[in-house]
Amino acid sequence: MKWFVSARSAETISSTIRTGESADWDEAVAQAIQTGRELTHADDGTQLGPARNYRIGDGEAVSTADGSSTASDDDLRRRIEQQTEYDAGVANAAPTPPKSVAEQWDRIAQWLTDNVSSVSIAGAADEQIQDAMRSTGGLWPEELTSFFRLVNGFPRENWVSIFPMHELFDVDRTVSERQLELDIWGEIDAEMGAEPQVGTAAGEYVGTYLPEFIPFAGADGYLLFVDARWGPLHGCVTEFQKVDADGAGPKWPSLSAMLTDLADSLETGTAFDGQTPTVVDGQLRWQ
């Protein structure tokens, strides 16, 4: 099993590569990670940044946002394994199939009306959505625009914790949060000397924030975004984490699949995203 690891010099803007061959996948990963940790200087003595890119066998290169100097062995192995599974056509997403956004939101809205006091649900106007799309430089998946037409966040005076760990955004917040993440991760990538991530497919790990990541909910640096890149998982829902970026992979294959799981949870009291819903003093709570 062949392996590959590279690190880049911020001074010369060039990469130094090390390769090898091992008996099996596990040994190849272990040797690549160890070599990455030892790869601190180029052959000419130039200081290198942390090794970021790993490839095992014939798979695609895995770029690690933190670099091998700070990421644990287990984290590096997990990311390499995720890329291997993706190359093999294994999607790390919930099995719920896509369904109609309107159908599933109607179930959720009805449950809120029946169980939550002073709920207020209103969608965004088409003009608002079109302005947001123009300001973010591209088309949004149809399910996302359909979703915002049905609900444009919740007003502060009638707030609903519709997700266990994320706050539902309105269209304006979606635009501002996206730009904030692009600015933050753009600076990080510049400091690390990271190469632009282009030509990647929806659901594919990149270890940074891309313009095609459209956030619709979030809290404390953790976002839920719809992946607007093209590919078989176009429109999938992924959690973006402030440390691991998109390393966990897609959580749902579509927005409607996520809403289906949420509606099922509210109606039956089963878990959604690891927590179960309850109503306390007329308010939705998660535990």
Side-chain angles (χ1 to χ4, degrees):
M1 176 71 68
K2 294 181 179 179
W3 55 264
F4 157 110
V5 61
S6 71
R8 191 175 185 183
S9 168
E11 179 182 343
T12 64
I13 317 298
S14 61
S15 295
T16 296
I17 299 171
R18 295 287 185 268
T19 62
E21 190 163 356
S22 303
D24 54 34
W25 189 90
D26 286 332
E27 184 180 336
V29 172
Q31 289 190 6
I33 291 174
Q34 181 61 35
T35 301
R37 297 199 186 284
E38 297 170 351
L39 189 55
T40 59
H41 291 79
D43 294 336
D44 61 3
T46 304
Q47 180 78 35
L48 296 173
R52 287 172 50 92
N53 296 308
Y54 297 80
R55 185 170 64 235
I56 309 299
D58 296 325
E60 295 294 326
V62 179
S63 179
T64 59
D66 298 330
S68 60
S69 64
T70 56
S72 68
D73 284 5
D74 287 343
D75 184 44
L76 289 172
R77 177 180 290 272
R78 176 177 60 82
R79 297 184 186 189
I80 293 169
E81 186 174 18
Q82 285 176 342
Q83 185 64 59
T84 301
E85 290 178 349
Y86 179 85
D87 293 338
V90 179
N92 180 25
T96 308
K99 295 183 179 180
S100 165
V101 166
E103 177 185 349
Q104 302 312 315
W105 180 253
D106 282 348
R107 294 172 60 198
I108 295 167
Q110 186 61 58
W111 187 92
L112 292 175
T113 300
D114 293 342
N115 293 276
V116 176
S117 60
S118 302
V119 65
S120 176
I121 302 174
D126 283 342
E127 184 177 352
Q128 287 179 282
I129 296 172
Q130 292 299 321
D131 285 345
M133 291 172 63
R134 282 191 290 268
S135 68
T136 55
L139 295 175
W140 291 1
E142 184 177 350
E143 286 199 341
L144 184 60
T145 59
S146 298
F147 182 60
F148 276 123
R149 290 190 186 99
L150 295 165
V151 56
N152 189 29
F154 292 106
R156 188 58 54 186
E157 61 273 16
N158 299 114
W159 189 253
V160 177
S161 298
I162 194 66
F163 302 123
M165 294 176 287
H166 301 88
E167 173 186 344
L168 181 63
F169 295 162
D170 60 17
V171 170
D172 291 340
R173 180 82 179 276
T174 285
V175 173
S176 63
E177 288 286 344
R178 171 186 173 275
Q179 189 58 54
L180 176 63
E181 294 298 326
L182 287 173
D183 292 343
I184 292 173
W185 284 85
E187 292 180 2
I188 293 173
D189 289 344
E191 291 175 0
M192 296 293 293
E195 298 180 358
Q197 296 286 347
V198 296
T200 55
E204 184 176 347
Y205 171 74
V206 291
T208 187
Y209 200 91
L210 297 181
E212 296 90 346
F213 293 174
I214 313 298
F216 62 90
D220 300 325
Y222 294 84
L223 303 172
L224 289 177
F225 70 86
V226 169
D227 194 337
R229 290 177 293 173
W230 295 107
L233 284 177
H234 174 67
C236 65
V237 175
T238 298
E239 182 179 40
F240 193 91
Q241 303 175 356
K242 57 185 176 182
V243 175
D244 292 330
D246 61 330
K251 294 173 72 73
W252 291 275
S254 67
L255 186 58
S256 58
M258 183 200 73
L259 295 176
T260 300
D261 286 353
L262 176 58
D264 289 346
S265 173
L266 294 174
E267 292 174 351
T268 64
T270 54
F272 171 80
D273 204 15
Q275 297 195 37
T276 55
T278 185
V279 177
V280 179
D281 296 330
Q283 298 298 316
L284 173 60
R285 298 286 186 267
W286 295 92
Q287 58 186 16

